[in-house]
Amino acid sequence: MNTIHLLPDLVANQIAAGEVIQRPASAVKELLENAIDAQATKIQLIIKDAGRTLIQVVDNGRGMNFTDARMCFERHATSKINSADDLYRLTTKGFRGEALASIAAIAQVELKTKLADQETGTLLITEGSQVKEHTPVATTYGTSISIKNLFFNVPARRNFLKSDTVELGHIEEELNRLALIHYDIDFSFYHNGKLMLQLPPSNQKQRIITVFGTHLKDKLFPIELNTETVKISGFIAKPENAKKKKNEQYLFVNNRFVKHYLLTHAIETTYKELIPEGHKPAFFIEITVPPETIDVNISPTKSDVKFQDDRMIYAFLNAAVKKTLGTLSLIPQIDFNYNPQYDFSGIKPKEDFKSPALTLNPNYNPYSSIAEKKTTPSDSWQQFLSGLKNETITSCHLTSDKLNFDTEDVESETIFDETKIKCLLFSDAYLVFILNDILYIIDVKSARERILFEHFLTALENTPMVIQQSLFPETITLTANATEIVRDILPELRALGYELEQIDRISFAVNGTPVEEEVDIQQVIEQFAEMYKTHLFLHKTDKNSAIAKSLARQKCSTKLKIFSELEQQAFIKQLFLCKIPNISPSGEKIMKIFTDEEIRKIINA
Ligand code: ADP
Ligand code: MG
């Protein structure tokens, strides 16, 4: 006896529905996408009980004729593609022809639709895929489709649904994902008779603000990149807008919201160190590529996308975000003799993509002039400077835009001369000064942490610090835990000037220390090890950053006694030489700057 038979349509559709329609929000997505594919310019979404009892979408799109109104509920019934090749020429959201069939299998559906040029429309009522009614009806052009009692015949699914708040959240999210990219469409959203969201046609920026609120108003900056193979546009939010939650990250590929781990990384990595650890930057980015270079047919919900060459897209996206973040910085920054030629057109797929390089001259000593002037810096200041002497650069130019990719106009740069800066130390914690008509207030502690962090990172990656050998090595004793940590990073500690040698289970001989360091080494290493452990394990940063961050943090736990005028000036210069002078490695803001206009505003406020 044969045991294999074909499943009845209803069962097949219910199985398909398991993949496509997981919750009310999935049905909302499919219906809204159909309305968009039908070229609607106005779409209403009407929900009751978080989608459990009613999901209705009313559009003013193309509509369907009498036969199509019946056909659209058949499995693999679609007007959008004809052959498999069409999968690589997609311009519509839908193409699998299974959404309506799946929904109809697990709900009661009422469809009213009319073509613009026809007198009468069509009414179609189904229940669990069974057609209950199919008659002409008077209706306006476009389509209204109501899904009632979703999962009425699949109790297991119904029981899986979460609270109304959660389900409603998912519905809003699906709506946002479409509304943020189809900003020219008029959307409105009602829940239990209440208007929840009204989105008139607008531009993308305005749409983002209407969806997420005015807190983003002055914080969105455009990104733009055009090449033969990729077009990138959209908005990124200022680093200070980053949040702990990952809720405002929207990436669209050819008008479709996608989740793409690698591309998200291309964006997030650019923000690294501009925002506190664990925070997520907000972005709304649109990537357009030729449809034949992507595959969206890799998951039933079509929220994943595969690129022919994702490394190239990664590089372009990364560069585009960097460019905007660079121009966004309001702080005058030092031009490190970078190479301003940064030409996108020459980049071929699969070629390595390099960011502009910053070159440092390790032999330049900016403090030689300070030494000549025979100042007597305070002890802690001396210590602070001692390690820093080796890095810096041959020439310093101030530009308003460090990552300016196309300007070769060096004329506009002013030579940075820190000796001209007049500084005030306020409340023993803030440096106040004026530079190029801008008033700066700098938080000394955070600034110091930033300077030390970058300095330590350089020591770890390129130029190890000079070690002063101890004549009579001191012995330090650590906890078992700290011992293990320290033993793991002895080479790194050496690069930072601490030459330690394990002499027994929990003790180390201190054979060398950074030049001019006269502090309690035991305490430094103990506290450092503790911070390093947290950094590495909690925040998942790479080893060198975690080490540099921890040591910088440790060093800043004691107060820095500045300061003669020269010391203050040198400090400011060191800060401006940092790659990221405005945020400390622990994510604190370092400075506040004011133009004369802003001061006027403050006075008048
Ligand atoms: P797909 O969108 O993948 O084609 P669906 O099951 O979602 O599959 O829809 C089947 C077909 O029904 C569509 O191809 C389209 O022709 C038609 N259709 C669905 N919704 C609408 C609508 N709102 N307006 C006009 N036609 C629609
Ligand atoms: Mg569809």
Side-chain angles (χ1 to χ4, degrees), residues 29-30 33 37 80 87 89-96 177-178 181-182 250-260 285-288 291 294-307:
K29 170 178 187 271
E30 295 296 338
E33 288 190 349
D37 284 346
K80 298 169 193 172
L87 285 175
R89 290 191 282 267
L90 283 176
T91 52
T92 53
K93 305 249 177 252
F95 55 85
R96 295 168 63 112
R177 289 173 181 183
L178 288 162
I181 189 75
H182 293 282
Y250 292 85
L251 192 62
F252 303 93
V253 174
N254 290 6
N255 275 352
R256 194 186 294 277
F257 173 87
V258 296
K259 292 180 204 136
H260 200 289
I285 296 176
E286 209 180 322
I287 299 173
T288 312
I294 52 167
D295 187 356
V296 287
N297 190 26
I298 47 179
S299 74
T301 55
K302 295 164 278 170
S303 56
D304 298 297
V305 60
K306 223 158 95 190
F307 292 90

Side-chain angles (χ1 to χ4, degrees), residues 429-431 441-449 571 575 588-592:
Y430 307 99
L431 277 178
I441 302 178
I442 286 183
D443 179 313
V444 172
K445 183 166 186 281
S446 308
R448 185 177 171 216
E449 199 180 319
F571 184 86
L575 179 64
E588 310 282 346
K589 279 190 204 163
I590 291 176
M591 59 177 82
K592 183 93 191 146

Side-chain angles (χ1 to χ4, degrees), residues 30-40 57-65 68-69 71-81 92-103 111-115 142-145 302:
E30 295 296 338
L31 299 186
L32 290 175
E33 288 190 349
N34 281 346
I36 294 169
D37 284 346
Q39 317 264 288
V57 170
V58 184
D59 70 53
N60 65 351
R62 197 182 298 125
M64 286 177 267
N65 70 17
D68 283 349
M71 265 303 278
C72 71
F73 292 103
E74 291 298 321
R75 201 135 89 96
H76 310 303
T78 179
S79 56
K80 298 169 193 172
I81 59 169
T92 53
K93 305 249 177 252
F95 55 85
R96 295 168 63 112
E98 60 186 0
L100 291 185
S102 303
I103 293 172
L111 170 72
K112 269 191 210 167
T113 184
K114 188 169 89 79
L115 297 170
T143 302
S144 160
I145 181 163
K302 295 164 278 170

